[in-house]
Amino acid sequence: MKHANVALFVPHSGCRHMCSFCDQKSITGQHCRLTAQQVKDAAETALRTLHNAAQNAEIAFFGGSFTAIDRQYMLSLLQAAYPYVEKGQVSGIRVSTRPDAIDWEVLQLLKQYGVTSVELGAQSMDDGVLSANGRGHSAQDVEKASALIRKAGFSLGLQMMTGLYKSSEALDMYTAKKICAICPQTVRVYPTLVLRGTRLAQLYTDGLYAPPSLESTVALCTQLLSLFEGEGIRVIRLGLHSSEGLRSAYVAGPFHPALRQLCQSRQILCHVLEQIKKKQFPCGPLVLHVHPKTLSKLTGQKKSNLRELARRGYPAQVYQDEMLAEDVIEIEPGK
């Protein structure tokens, strides 16, 4: 059964730092302090709309530094959510926090109130990049917090960003490999965007920061997606969710509302090209057979993959075959 989140946002609450890229009110679209009653209302709405699927959902507190907020406020939110876990109406509670806001005491408290998953905003595993962006923690903090979370029995999630100020594609790949070594269950990948009112926006205006292009971001994130999937790590988010707040605050950067689909389509193109090379097909027409659910990813946005194959000398015809597995593409020479 497909996983779902009852997503609740606690923007900036508990955060002692203002990172170069951060404007969570624009990202989340939420400007007011989340209340315990809103937690209950969201859970009740989920129960009505998700029906039996709610049993596989987590109540998720995103957007801030959950374990660093005022302790009584944190407890009030957990106390509002916990009865739904206790009754088996949802599968658990997911929280997002900073690596330097984790210790054994707070983890035991989270467990007491039904938390099952803890996500850390690592963003980078290079101390120079972390410092340049005002993160206020080190790569070692990420490793120590991750080890505690795993030892306490929680599902571990890590978040990373590509294209940060003072980073590079090589450093982003370094971060991804360091994350793989930590062995989280899940990962979120967020390409850096320049948002109005942030320090990054000023750096961009002053010519001190140039965001990567969408094309280079798709190429990099395709590699990251393949890397994490190859290590058995689920990528549960790739790119920021499009919202009115994000669109109004957007200044520059590689935003696309369907970034994951672009990367998955690029993955398939790479797979087809590898098969062409492996089977030593001469230039000429190809026939591709795919499951119907894979068709749009194979053809690419606006048939970009088919155009690229044709550019390389392989004009292709695509046929749907429901008997094939969704991850299988059969390739044969055309006539």
Side-chain angles (χ1 to χ4, degrees):
M1 187 176 291
K2 189 176 180 180
H3 177 81
N5 280 329
V6 182
L8 299 159
F9 295 95
V10 193
H12 288 294
S13 188
C15 190
R16 299 182 294 272
H17 303 272
M18 183 60 73
C19 303
S20 67
F21 50 82
C22 191
D23 182 10
Q24 290 188 2
K25 291 179 181 178
S26 294
I27 293 171
T28 66
Q30 184 164 325
H31 296 257
C32 300
R33 180 181 170 103
L34 180 70
T35 67
Q37 186 58 52
Q38 287 173 319
V39 173
K40 296 175 183 177
D41 291 344
E44 292 294 337
T45 298
L47 293 180
R48 290 194 301 271
T49 57
L50 295 176
H51 305 294
N52 291 338
Q55 295 175 5
N56 197 48
E58 288 178 313
I59 296 175
F61 293 103
F62 292 133
S65 301
F66 192 77
T67 58
I69 64 179
D70 174 80
R71 186 54 52 89
Q72 289 306 311
Y73 177 44
M74 184 186 85
L75 289 176
S76 73
L77 299 177
L78 289 174
Q79 287 164 355
Y82 180 57
Y84 298 95
V85 180
E86 192 175 29
K87 297 174 184 176
Q89 294 171 299
V90 298
S91 66
I93 298 170
R94 175 179 292 264
V95 303
S96 177
T97 193
R98 293 175 54 84
D100 55 352
I102 287 292
D103 57 34
W104 192 251
E105 182 270 335
V106 78
L107 289 174
Q108 295 309 304
L109 192 59
L110 295 179
K111 181 168 285 188
Q112 180 182 340
Y113 283 96
V115 173
T116 44
S117 304
V118 180
E119 291 190 27
L120 297 178
Q123 317 314 4
S124 175
M125 292 299 286
D126 179 85
D127 285 341
V129 174
L130 292 172
S131 177
N133 289 276
R135 284 293 295 165
H137 67 79
S138 67
Q140 188 176 47
D141 289 329
V142 178
E143 293 173 337
K144 287 182 177 179
S146 296
L148 280 178
I149 291 166
R150 291 176 64 87
K151 183 178 179 181
F154 294 97
S155 174
L156 171 65
L158 292 177
Q159 302 168 7
M160 71 167 286
M161 297 179 68
T162 65
L164 283 165
Y165 175 55
K166 294 294 186 181
S167 191
S168 64
E169 286 192 9
L171 286 175
D172 290 343
M173 286 301 299
Y174 169 80
T175 287
K177 290 175 182 177
K178 292 288 283 186
I179 285 176
C180 288
I182 294 172
C183 299
Q185 278 73 40
T186 61
V187 167
R188 296 178 193 265
V189 181
Y190 295 119
T192 301
L193 301 181
V194 180
L195 301 179
R196 191 172 291 107
T198 62
R199 182 164 70 89
L200 196 62
Q202 189 60 54
L203 291 169
Y204 173 74
T205 300
D206 293 342
L208 299 176
Y209 172 74
S213 67
L214 178 61
E215 172 59 29
S216 65
T217 297
V218 169
L220 173 62
C221 288
T222 299
Q223 294 182 63
L224 297 180
L225 188 60
S226 296
L227 174 64
F228 289 131
E229 289 176 343
E231 294 292 330
I233 301 169
R234 288 194 304 123
V235 180
I236 57 176
R237 185 75 203 179
L238 181 51
L240 285 170
H241 174 68
S242 180
S243 67
E244 184 177 346
L246 178 62
R247 290 190 293 272
S248 64
Y250 174 82
V251 175
F255 175 74
H256 193 283
L259 181 63
R260 187 188 190 104
Q261 285 79 1
L262 292 182
C263 294
Q264 290 174 326
S265 183
R266 182 68 61 89
Q267 275 185 309
I268 289 178
L269 174 62
C270 291
H271 171 72
V272 171
L273 292 173
E274 287 172 3
Q275 291 302 306
I276 289 172
K277 182 178 180 180
K278 181 179 179 180
K279 296 179 180 180
Q280 299 182 331
F281 285 132
C283 288
L286 292 178
V287 175
L288 308 178
H289 298 272
V290 297
H291 190 278
K293 291 184 177 179
T294 312
L295 178 64
S296 62
K297 294 176 185 176
L298 171 61
T299 57
Q301 189 179 49
K302 299 180 180 179
K303 298 186 178 181
S304 59
N305 283 355
L306 298 184
R307 291 200 307 273
E308 179 60 20
L309 287 171
R311 187 187 71 80
R312 292 172 179 252
Y314 298 98
Q317 290 182 303
V318 182
Y319 295 94
Q320 301 178 54
D321 186 343
E322 292 186 350
M323 300 301 292
L324 291 176
E326 290 182 31
D327 60 347
V328 170
I329 300 171
E330 291 187 349
I331 308 172
E332 59 186 18
K335 296 180 180 179

